[in-house]
Amino acid sequence: MGFNKEPSYAHGTISRPAVLFVNLGTPDAPTTPAVRRYLRQFLSDPRVVEIPKAAWWFILNGIILPFRSSKSAEKYASIWSKEGSPLKVHTEKQALLLRGYLGERGHDVRVAYAMRYGSPSIADTIDRLKAEGCDRILVVPAYPQYSGTTTASINDAVSAHLTRMRNLPELRFVKHYHDQEAYIDALATSVQAYWDMHGEPDKLVMSFHGVPKRTLQLGDPYHCECHKTARLLAARLGLGADRYMVTFQSRFGKAEWLQPYTAPTLQKLAREGVKRVDVMCPGFTSDCLETLEEISMEARHDFLAAGGKEFHYIPCLNESPGWIRALADVAETHMGGWLSMVTPATREQENRAAALSRDLAQRMGAVT
């Protein structure tokens, strides 16, 4: 097996750390061909679908892609903005703001974003960071709660690309930050700001992306981490157990997934006489198809059609200052030892200290 060509290197080049911020991904356009390409890559990941490869190939290429791509393209078209895919737009802005926050804290850190599926790819982004002199890379998933279907898949993609490299960068991976104080504070601030403007609901529904129940039984901690996030957020908001609940959305296929399911739960609440629900998606850090279309459109319709009176969707964290500060905290925590070695501010301080030491030595020599 051959290796990729390494970027040119000049002796004396200052090593720089980098943050690689990775989100799930999005089609390049809200069209059937683009969505088909995206779904093929996404649903071909064995981390996402744990079905024997041969059987799944037939299901995916013979049934799902031919029939689901056009329907999904229509849904993407309903939430597509003038700037493009909401998820990609938000992720790009978050990466830019994160670099600014780290810079304000005195850190010269390159921040780039990538998508696990779609573009920009993890492989291309790592190559670009290496070409810019970054040989220490912190991989930060956009998923606060760990799951083998998401976080582990990012690690798979990074590791697979390393097999093509001769000169490996030093790497660190963030596993999760579902209970990080700044992340919980950012969520609470977002909810409270919404309630200050619109009043409070009868029930706050925290909807997380679903995964097959089988993954929980096999040891995936995702379910537990979602509930911990919810408990911490409820405590921060001062909500009793009767004021909020956790649900799981985006179920796919006939297998049992984590329950309770979001849509049936909202219908049940409406039939039980709950007049107003507010729904938020704490596990999604950028608004996307699953929040803007599945929750704000489809779930809204389900609740109101079942007799509910008011449905409010509380947007994701997106570019909120609290969320970017939380990301900066995560980066600083996991880059310990890197930042002090490479920032220009630190290097300037070291140069001044060395100059003072030399001056002091000369004076002491003169006195002696």
Side-chain angles (χ1 to χ4, degrees):
M1 178 184 70
F3 297 100
N4 296 336
K5 183 180 179 181
E6 291 292 330
S8 58
Y9 175 77
H11 290 285
T13 300
I14 297 176
S15 173
R16 299 179 64 197
V19 173
L20 176 59
F21 183 54
V22 186
N23 213 329
L24 183 75
T26 176
D28 293 324
T31 63
T32 298
V35 171
R36 184 183 293 113
R37 288 193 301 272
Y38 170 73
L39 290 178
R40 177 178 287 111
Q41 183 186 15
F42 175 41
L43 297 176
S44 295
D45 187 343
R47 289 281 191 181
V48 175
V49 181
E50 295 185 53
I51 294 177
K53 188 173 182 180
W56 179 243
W57 186 94
F58 174 78
I59 296 171
L60 176 62
N61 292 279
I63 301 174
I64 295 176
L65 293 180
F67 296 100
R68 185 168 179 174
S69 298
S70 60
K71 293 180 180 179
S72 294
E74 292 176 2
K75 293 183 177 183
Y76 275 106
S78 71
I79 57 99
W80 214 259
S81 70
K82 292 182 179 179
E83 297 175 280
S85 163
L87 181 141
K88 189 170 185 177
V89 169
H90 288 305
T91 304
E92 183 175 15
K93 290 179 179 178
Q94 289 167 355
L96 182 63
L97 289 170
L98 175 58
R99 183 176 185 181
Y101 266 65
L102 290 172
E104 289 179 359
R105 295 182 181 184
H107 307 311
D108 180 25
V109 178
R110 177 79 167 89
V111 179
Y113 77 96
M115 298 296 174
R116 175 58 185 91
Y117 315 104
S119 62
S121 71
I122 289 174
D124 288 346
T125 306
I126 289 178
D127 287 346
R128 188 167 68 252
L129 289 174
K130 284 189 62 180
E132 294 174 1
C134 300
D135 66 353
R136 297 181 177 93
I137 301 175
L138 174 68
V139 181
V140 182
Y143 327 122
Q145 296 77 25
Y146 173 90
S147 173
T149 62
T150 53
T151 312
S153 181
I154 289 175
N155 292 1
D156 289 347
V158 172
S159 300
H161 188 53
L162 296 185
T163 64
R164 304 294 301 171
M165 288 184 191
R166 187 180 302 278
N167 184 17
L168 300 181
E170 185 175 353
L171 284 165
R172 294 178 184 173
F173 294 89
V174 175
K175 179 178 181 179
H176 50 192
Y177 43 95
H178 63 290
D179 56 357
Q180 186 218 28
E181 184 175 358
Y183 162 63
I184 300 298
D185 285 346
L187 290 172
T189 298
S190 173
V191 174
Q192 193 59 61
Y194 190 90
W195 287 353
D196 288 343
M197 293 183 62
H198 304 282
E200 296 189 12
D202 300 318
K203 186 84 71 173
L204 174 65
V205 176
M206 304 181 196
S207 180
F208 292 84
H209 198 288
V211 295
K213 183 179 179 180
R214 179 173 177 270
T215 62
L216 170 62
Q217 298 167 337
L218 292 175
D220 194 301
Y222 177 72
H223 178 264
C224 300
E225 295 192 2
C226 290
H227 276 277
K228 186 171 185 180
T229 295
R231 289 196 304 272
L232 292 173
L233 177 55
R236 179 74 168 71
L237 292 170
L239 299 179
D242 61 328
R243 291 286 311 283
Y244 79 97
M245 64 187 309
V246 174
T247 63
F248 296 91
Q249 65 183 83
S250 307
R251 182 162 56 103
F252 175 74
K254 296 182 179 180
E256 182 180 0
W257 283 38
L258 296 181
Q259 295 195 41
Y261 303 138
T262 298
T265 298
L266 290 170
Q267 293 170 331
K268 183 173 181 289
L269 290 174
R271 290 193 295 266
E272 291 174 347
V274 175
K275 291 182 172 56
R276 171 178 164 177
V277 295
D278 284 13
V279 183
M280 66 179 303
C281 301
F284 294 88
T285 53
S286 296
D287 272 310
C288 56
L289 183 72
E290 286 81 1
T291 65
L292 298 174
E293 196 277 335
E294 184 179 354
I295 296 300
S296 190
M297 294 181 188
E298 290 186 5
R300 180 189 304 274
H301 174 270
D302 291 340
F303 179 73
L304 297 178
K309 302 302 179 184
E310 283 189 67
F311 180 100
H312 292 250
Y313 168 64
I314 300 176
C316 291
L317 293 173
N318 296 325
E319 293 82 57
S320 64
W323 164 233
I324 307 302
R325 282 195 296 270
L327 275 179
D329 287 352
V330 169
E332 279 188 324
T333 299
H334 289 82
M335 298 180 84
W338 287 0
L339 298 175
S340 61
M341 289 190 287
V342 296
T343 62
T346 300
R347 197 173 297 277
E348 183 179 347
Q349 291 172 357
E350 291 174 348
N351 291 337
R352 287 201 301 267
L356 288 172
S357 296
R358 289 193 299 270
D359 183 59
L360 180 60
Q362 290 172 356
R363 291 184 181 185
M364 290 180 66
V367 170
T368 301

